[in-house]
Amino acid sequence: MRKALLIARHEFFVTLSRPSFRIFSALVPVLAVLGLGTISVYQTVRDHKPEDAIQAGVIDLTVGQAGDPLFTSYRQQDNVTFVLMTDPQAATRRLIDGDIDKLYVISENYLHTGLINEIKPEQAGIGGISEASGNPNQAPLGRFLLNNLFVGEVGPDRAQRVLDPFTIVTTEVSPDGSVVVEDRDLGRLLFFIGLGVMLVVSVFTTSGYLLQGLNEEKENRIMEVLLSSAKPEHLMIGKLLGLGGAGLLQMLVWTASGLLFLVALTPIIEPPKGLDLTPPPLAIIVGAIYFVLGYFFFGTLMAALGAITTSTRESGQVTAVVVLPGVAPLWFMEQMIENPEGPLARAASFIPFSAPLASLVRLGVDGMGLLDLVISVVLLAGSVVLAMWLTIRLFRAYLLMYGQRPGFRQILRTLRNA
Amino acid sequence: MTTPLTMPSVEAIDLWKRYGDRDVVQGVSLAVERGQMLGLVGPNGSGKTTTIRMVLDIIRPDRGTVRLFGGRISQAAQAKIGYLPEERGLYKGQRVLPTLVYLAELKGLAHAEAQTRAYEMLARVGMAEHANKKVRELSRGMGQLVQFAATVLHRPSFIVLDEPFSGLDPVNARIMKEVMGELNQQGTSVLFSTHQMTDVEELCDNVVMINRGATVLNGPLLDIKRRYADNAVYLETAAPFASPASAVEVVGRGRGHLIRLRPGTAPEIVLCELLDAGVRVDRYELATPSLEEIFIRIVGEANA
C-alpha cells in the first residue's frame, strides 16, 4: 500500500501542475467572479441611473359629481409628473417650448368613451407614459387614471387588485379525484442536479487525465521502470487515488466558489420564494459516495482503455465508449424528474454507467427509496471491484505493448486466461 | 534480509512465453550468482527482453519458475533490483532530480536519503549540473545516464540492464561500464543483455546465448570459447619458419602466425616441434574464437 500511496502522491502533484487542470479548475471560480462582477455593475448602474423626469401635461375636461374634474390626485407616478392645466393654448405653447414632454387631454365624456387625446411634439417617442410591457394599466398614465377613478369608490386593497388582478397557483387533480400534492423542492432538485453534473464533469476530467498520464508513460517508455518497482495493482490504485484526490479538490473548488457566488449574490438579487439551496443533511454523504464510486468505476475503465490503446490520440477516440453511457441520464432527465420511480429512472440508477447521475437526479426529486439506493450503491461498488479485477489483468498484458492495439477477441482471451 | 553467499541472485528455470501463435521464449534457464556478471546475448528478436521481463515479474511466464534471492518474487525482492529497460524513457516534463527521487522512493528509500543519493549518483555519472533541468532538455545520451543513475542509486543487490550501451557515445559508455564494475566489485550481481559481443567479452564471466527463444549456449565464457576453439595455436616468432609436421595450415599475419593443427594433435606438440627446429618463439597461445565468431557460427547454423 505504501507504493500505491507514493504513486498517488506523485500523480496528485503532477496533475496539479498540469496547466490544463489549473485552468479548468479555476474556470468556475473565475466565471463566478466575472458573473458576480457583471451583475453588480449592472445593478449599480441601474440603481444609480437617474431616470429622466418626465412632465406630462393634463387637461381634464371631465366633470365629477361635485362638479370638479375627476383626475386631480396621484399626480406623481414613478418618474412621470402629471401637471394639471386648463388653458389649451398655454399648454400647447409649453409643449412646443419643451417645458412638458406630452400633453394629455381627457375628453369630457371619458367615462363613456375612455378617449384621451395625446399631443406630442413631432418625432417624439410613443412609450414612457402610456405604454408598459404586457399590461397598459401598469403604465404611469394607466395608474394615474385608475387611482383617480377609485378615489372614494373602493378601498386601497381593491384598487391594488384591479391594478394587479391575480397570482396563479395551480392544483392538479388525479383521475381518482384526489388532489396531487406538489411537494417538489426546487432547491433540493437544483442542488442534486448540480452535484450530479459537477460529478460527471469532474469524474470525466480527472479520469481523462489518468488516461492521458498512462498513455504518456507508455509513450515515454517509463512504464517498464514503474512496473519493475511496483505491481500493476499498486500502479492502478495509486493513480486512481492521486487523480481522484485531484478531482475531489477540483470539485471542492467548484462547489465552494458556487456557494460563495450564491452567498454573494443574495444581497444583490433576491432569490425566488421557496428556493432553498442549503444541501439536505444526507445529500453530502450520498453525493460523496456516488462521487467516490463513480470516479473509481469510470477511472478504472479509463485505465483499462489506457492499457489497451497505444497513444493519447487513439485513447481519446475510444473514450466515448465510457463517456456516453455515463452522461446518458442527461438526455432522459425530464422523464426521470417527472417519473422518478418509473422503470426508466430505476433501471438507470441500477446500471453502473448511469447510476451516479441518475441516482442523484432521483434523489433530487425525493424519488428514490432506501432499497433502491442500497441496490444502486451495492451494484456500483460490485462493478468497481469487477472493473478493477479486469483492468489489472489488462495492465499486466498490455501496458508494455507499444504501437499495437489488441483486438477485441485477443482482449477476451486475455481476460479468460487471466 | 541478507542473501546467503551461495544463493543465486536470480534463478530462472525453464521459462516459456507465447504471444499469439509463436513461442517467443522456449525453455530458457539462467542463473546469476551473487557478485557475478552474466551476459544475455542473442540477435534482435531472439527473446532477450521477454526473458528479462519474466525474470523481473513484469510479465508472467506461461510456464517455468523464477526465484529472486532464493524466494518468490516479493516487494522486498523487487526493492533490491535495479532495472534499466531497453526502451528507455523518463517523465519528459519533469526535472531530473525529483524524477530520480520518486523512482528511488518507489524502491523503498526515504525521501531525504533518496535526495542525497540522487545528487551523489548524478555527480558520479557527471550529470550533477543538470539536476534541475527538465528531462526533455537533455540529450539522448544524457537521458540514458540519468536513467542509469536511477537504476542504481538505491544500491540494488542485483541489476538488470537491457542493451545498456546502445546509443551511448564511447565516453558515456565508459562511465557506465566503470560504475557497473564498481558495483560488481562491491558484490552486486549483474545481468545484462546485448547483441554487442565485445561488451560481453569485456565485462562478463558467464554467458547465456539465446536464438529464436531457445538457449543455445549457457556457461562460463572461457569454457565456451575453449569448446568452440578450432584446434589451432597463435604464435609470434622472430623469423619465418618452415611449416611444422603437426600443422595442416599456417596463416601468416606479420610476425604472428595462426597454425591449424591436424586432428588429434595436442597444441603443445607444435611448440615442441618449433623449439626443436631452433625457432625463437616470442608469444604462444591457444587460438580461441571471439564470442562474435561463435555467435555467428551458432546462429548461422541454426538459421540455415
Side-chain angles (χ1 to χ4, degrees):
Chain A
M1 197 59 191
R2 181 185 164 272
K3 284 187 182 175
L5 291 176
L6 262 174
I7 293 166
R9 189 190 68 187
H10 180 258
E11 293 295 330
F12 180 78
F13 287 111
V14 165
T15 305
L16 257 55
S17 70
R18 284 180 192 274
S20 54
F21 180 86
R22 290 182 182 183
I23 291 169
F24 202 53
S25 301
L27 203 61
V28 171
V30 168
L31 284 178
V33 169
L34 284 178
L36 201 62
T38 308
I39 291 167
S40 299
V41 168
Y42 171 76
Q43 292 282 50
T44 309
V45 169
R46 198 186 68 178
D47 292 347
H48 290 86
K49 184 183 173 188
E51 285 190 273
D52 291 339
I54 297 174
Q55 299 273 334
V58 173
I59 298 176
D60 184 1
L61 302 178
T62 60
V63 181
Q65 287 177 346
D68 298 328
L70 286 172
F71 301 98
T72 54
S73 305
Y74 303 104
R75 283 179 289 168
Q76 188 65 44
Q77 297 293 335
D78 295 340
N79 57 328
V80 181
T81 307
F82 292 94
V83 182
L84 299 181
M85 298 176 169
T86 50
D87 181 0
Q89 281 189 339
T92 308
R93 172 52 47 201
R94 288 184 67 179
L95 181 72
I96 293 164
D97 291 346
D99 289 345
I100 56 173
D101 297 277
K102 287 181 182 175
L103 175 63
Y104 294 95
V105 182
I106 303 172
S107 64
E108 197 175 349
N109 55 352
Y110 167 82
L111 286 177
H112 298 294
T113 63
L115 271 178
I116 293 176
N117 185 16
E118 182 183 69
I119 302 165
K120 61 177 185 172
E122 204 176 6
Q123 306 297 327
I126 58 168
I129 302 173
S130 59
E131 300 287 328
S133 57
N135 183 2
N137 289 348
Q138 296 293 349
L141 180 62
R143 288 203 302 275
F144 167 68
L145 294 170
L146 284 169
N147 278 301
N148 280 289
L149 285 169
F150 295 143
V151 173
E153 303 289 331
V154 296
D157 287 350
R158 185 165 292 193
Q160 181 58 37
R161 283 287 67 78
V162 172
L163 285 168
D164 183 11
F166 56 83
T167 303
I168 280 194
V169 177
T170 308
T171 302
E172 292 180 19
V173 182
S174 65
D176 63 6
S178 61
V179 174
V180 176
V181 179
E182 184 59 72
D183 58 353
R184 190 163 295 158
D185 179 344
L186 183 63
R188 179 191 170 109
L189 177 62
L190 285 179
F191 177 83
F192 273 100
I193 289 179
L195 190 67
V197 171
M198 273 201 301
L199 186 149
V200 168
V201 172
S202 182
V203 161
F204 284 123
T205 309
T206 41
S207 56
Y209 287 125
L210 189 148
L211 184 62
Q212 189 185 345
L214 271 175
N215 281 127
E216 279 174 8
E217 281 167 350
K218 282 177 89 172
E219 286 168 5
N220 286 344
R221 303 290 193 260
I222 197 169
M223 185 56 80
E224 202 165 349
V225 176
L226 297 176
L227 286 175
S228 72
S229 304
K231 292 187 178 299
E233 46 267 42
H234 294 151
L235 199 59
M236 192 182 75
I237 292 170
K239 282 176 177 293
L240 284 171
L241 287 177
L243 287 156
L248 204 58
L249 181 67
Q250 187 177 60
M251 217 170 140
L252 283 175
V253 170
W254 289 352
T255 310
S257 52
L259 290 174
L260 284 174
F261 174 71
L262 288 176
V263 168
L265 197 64
T266 309
I268 302 173
I269 296 175
E270 194 180 333
K273 279 173 190 165
L275 180 64
D276 181 9
L277 286 170
T278 315
L282 281 174
I284 294 169
I285 298 169
V286 176
I289 289 172
Y290 275 107
F291 177 84
V292 170
L293 291 177
Y295 170 73
F296 272 92
F297 181 68
F298 287 111
T300 307
L301 293 180
M302 289 287 195
L305 288 180
I308 59 176
T309 51
T310 56
S311 65
T312 309
R313 211 180 80 182
E314 189 185 77
S315 62
Q317 290 164 350
V318 296
T319 48
V321 176
V322 174
V323 174
L324 287 182
V327 298
L330 288 173
W331 303 327
F332 306 108
M333 193 168 290
E334 196 180 332
Q335 290 93 318
M336 289 196 294
I337 290 171
E338 286 303 319
N339 193 4
E341 299 198 37
L344 175 73
R346 292 189 74 200
S349 57
F350 295 154
I351 296 169
F353 284 93
S354 51
L357 190 50
S359 301
L360 289 175
V361 171
R362 288 182 67 194
L363 287 165
V365 290
D366 203 12
M368 193 174 190
L370 182 63
L371 182 65
D372 279 11
L373 182 64
V374 171
I375 293 173
S376 168
V377 168
V378 168
L379 284 176
L380 187 56
S383 304
V384 169
V385 174
L386 180 67
M388 281 188 164
W389 186 83
L390 294 173
T391 303
I392 287 167
R393 266 87 199 144
L394 294 177
F395 260 44
R396 275 201 178 277
Y398 299 115
L399 267 186
L400 297 178
M401 192 173 270
Y402 307 126
Q404 183 193 356
R405 183 152 59 92
F408 186 63
R409 283 185 183 176
Q410 195 182 343
I411 293 170
L412 283 182
R413 204 165 43 238
T414 303
L415 294 175
R416 210 171 36 238
N417 296 338
Chain B
M1 190 177 85
T2 55
T3 312
L5 282 171
T6 52
M7 191 179 287
S9 295
V10 65
E11 197 174 8
I13 304 159
D14 195 25
L15 299 181
W16 288 77
K17 187 73 189 176
R18 171 177 278 259
Y19 284 132
D21 54 359
R22 199 164 73 90
D23 285 317
V24 293
V25 175
Q26 306 168 37
V28 169
S29 298
L30 58 85
V32 186
E33 302 294 333
R34 191 183 153 97
Q36 192 183 62
M37 213 183 270
L38 176 78
L40 180 63
V41 295
N44 294 329
S46 58
K48 300 187 297 288
T49 298
T50 306
T51 302
I52 285 175
R53 286 175 178 173
M54 287 191 284
V55 164
L56 296 172
D57 195 37
I58 292 173
I59 54 176
R60 294 258 163 91
D62 296 333
R63 215 164 76 204
T65 312
V66 177
R67 284 197 202 101
L68 279 171
F69 309 109
R72 292 184 59 181
I73 300 164
S74 62
Q75 282 199 55
Q78 241 177 359
K80 289 161 65 177
I81 299 172
Y83 176 43
L84 180 72
E86 181 185 13
E87 299 264 20
R88 283 181 263 284
L90 294 163
Y91 294 105
K92 288 187 168 50
Q94 291 180 30
R95 296 183 192 284
V96 169
L97 189 70
T99 303
L100 290 186
V101 170
Y102 171 54
L103 294 175
E105 284 182 84
L106 277 180
K107 288 291 186 186
L109 291 192
H111 185 80
E113 191 181 6
Q115 205 150 20
T116 310
R117 293 231 199 135
Y119 271 121
E120 285 172 8
M121 206 58 226
L122 282 173
R124 176 64 189 89
V125 296
M127 295 288 297
E129 62 189 285
H130 304 290
N132 291 315
K133 279 188 180 167
K134 286 196 172 174
V135 170
R136 71 162 66 93
E137 294 167 24
L138 304 177
S139 70
R140 190 176 165 210
M142 287 171 167
Q144 271 183 251
L145 282 181
V146 169
Q147 195 157 4
F148 178 66
T151 306
V152 298
L153 75 83
H154 61 290
R155 294 177 190 159
S157 306
F158 175 42
I159 55 176
V160 181
L161 311 167
D162 197 356
E163 300 281 359
F165 312 116
S166 109
L168 274 186
D169 64 52
V171 176
N172 286 337
R174 176 51 49 199
I175 292 172
M176 205 185 275
K177 283 177 186 173
E178 282 172 8
V179 177
M180 282 168 66
E182 287 165 17
L183 291 168
N184 190 232
Q185 286 291 313
Q186 292 160 14
T188 305
S189 315
V190 181
L191 167 64
F192 83 93
S193 86
T194 182
H195 60 273
Q196 297 289 335
M197 307 299 153
T198 48
D199 291 333
V200 176
E201 286 189 280
E202 182 185 346
L203 297 165
C204 293
D205 318 307
N206 284 48
V207 177
V208 171
M209 188 182 287
I210 57 177
N211 185 40
R212 293 179 171 177
T215 310
V216 290
L217 272 180
N218 187 350
L221 186 59
L222 284 176
D223 289 357
I224 290 170
K225 285 190 144 195
R226 278 201 199 102
R227 204 187 317 156
Y228 280 84
D230 297 318
N231 196 14
V233 294
Y234 174 77
L235 47 80
E236 288 177 10
T237 57
F241 57 88
S243 176
S246 58
V248 176
E249 183 188 18
V250 177
V251 182
R253 296 176 186 168
R255 290 177 64 238
H257 307 274
L258 180 74
I259 303 177
R260 295 191 196 284
L261 304 177
R262 291 183 188 286
T265 306
E268 54 273 24
I269 299 291
V270 73
L271 182 62
C272 293
E273 284 177 355
L274 289 172
L275 292 174
D276 288 347
V279 177
R280 202 184 94 194
V281 177
D282 295 331
R283 184 176 169 189
Y284 169 85
E285 64 186 34
L286 287 173
T288 53
S290 68
L291 193 57
E292 189 170 333
E293 286 166 337
I294 297 171
F295 176 79
I296 290 168
R297 200 186 301 174
I298 291 174
V299 171
E301 283 168 6
N303 295 349

